[in-house]
Amino acid sequence: EWVDIIEVLDGEDDKLRKLKLSNRNEFDQAVSLFQKRRFTEALEQFEIIKDQNSLDICVKIYIERCQQFIEQGIPENWDGSFTYKDK
């Protein structure tokens, strides 16, 4: 079942929250590139964001996914979702 994930920033310390908010447009653009299967471009954008905020776990996850798709290809019926098998 498809589930949207929302990141709540209220629990972050001020510095991390400000960094994430300052990179919001770039992050949204990178996610859009990812969703359009433009993984190389998305990876480049996520790497820039990571250089500015190395503590952003969401960015790290997207970087790993981009690298995986670039190296292994995209599953034929991929709909943009990921299935987590571990909690």
Side-chain angles (χ1 to χ4, degrees):
E1 182 178 330
W2 186 279
V3 177
D4 288 328
I5 298 175
I6 306 297
E7 184 176 16
V8 179
L9 299 179
D10 288 345
E12 303 286 4
D13 66 44
D14 285 340
K15 181 181 177 183
L16 188 54
R17 182 176 40 249
K18 287 178 184 178
L19 279 170
K20 287 183 176 187
L21 289 173
S22 71
N23 291 324
R24 181 178 178 184
N25 291 336
E26 291 82 2
F27 181 83
D28 289 346
Q29 179 184 13
V31 170
S32 178
L33 290 166
F34 180 87
Q35 291 171 339
K36 293 175 184 172
R37 301 176 180 215
R38 294 167 54 186
F39 302 114
T40 302
E41 295 169 78
L43 177 59
E44 291 171 2
Q45 189 68 42
F46 285 124
E47 289 286 357
I48 291 169
I49 297 168
K50 180 183 159 202
D51 288 343
Q52 297 170 4
N53 180 7
S54 63
L55 300 176
D56 193 326
I57 294 171
C58 290
V59 170
K60 290 179 183 180
I61 291 170
Y62 272 109
I63 287 172
E64 290 172 7
R65 290 178 182 172
C66 287
Q67 290 170 335
Q68 177 185 352
F69 285 144
I70 290 167
E71 293 170 9
Q72 300 174 8
I74 307 165
E76 187 175 311
N77 59 349
W78 184 65
D79 63 359
S81 65
F82 286 89
T83 302
Y84 284 97
K85 297 179 178 155
D86 299 320
K87 289 185 180 184

